[in-house]
Amino acid sequence: MKVILVYDINEKRVTKVLKTCRKYLNWVQNSVFEGEISEAKLVKLKMELKKIIHEDEDSVIIYTFRSAWYTNRETIGVKKGVQELII
């Protein structure tokens, strides 16, 4: 599946999150990654991120694209700018 991952992380943890995301996805710009990833690797990435972030302070948003007809937005941690629309 294709994935876009964006994050807003406290400076104390941002380097660890950056390195973790780079193991699985391609860096696009500050706090943004994209790429193709298997379901199993996505689960592993999310587990690793949950160990690093503070869910009451940090935010990770993962957009998954399984086909041209289906999208899903998942937020781990603080939900900021609750816009649910993908343009």
Side-chain angles (χ1 to χ4, degrees):
M1 78 181 79
K2 294 179 181 176
V3 170
I4 297 172
L5 181 146
V6 296
Y7 61 79
D8 184 5
I9 303 293
N10 185 296
E11 285 182 42
K12 298 173 196 170
R13 295 177 289 282
V14 75
T15 302
K16 287 182 181 179
V17 169
L18 174 70
K19 288 179 181 180
T20 300
C21 290
R22 280 189 170 162
K23 292 190 315 190
Y24 298 94
L25 299 168
N26 302 311
W27 179 77
V28 177
Q29 66 180 36
N30 290 345
S31 306
V32 180
F33 288 83
E34 68 180 13
E36 291 200 33
I37 190 170
S38 70
E39 190 106 21
K41 285 186 178 181
L42 180 58
V43 168
K44 189 173 178 183
L45 171 59
K46 288 194 274 188
M47 285 180 9
E48 288 182 38
L49 290 173
K50 286 180 181 181
K51 290 178 183 177
I52 299 168
I53 72 166
H54 293 182
E55 291 190 24
D56 59 334
E57 256 182 72
D58 304 324
S59 179
V60 177
I61 300 171
I62 301 169
Y63 298 93
T64 58
F65 302 90
R66 298 175 195 277
S67 72
W69 299 108
Y70 176 76
T71 61
N72 180 49
R73 179 180 184 206
E74 181 175 345
T75 303
I76 301 172
V78 177
K79 293 180 182 176
K80 298 181 178 182
V82 225
Q83 181 90 13
E84 292 293 328
L85 208 63
I86 298 176
I87 299 174

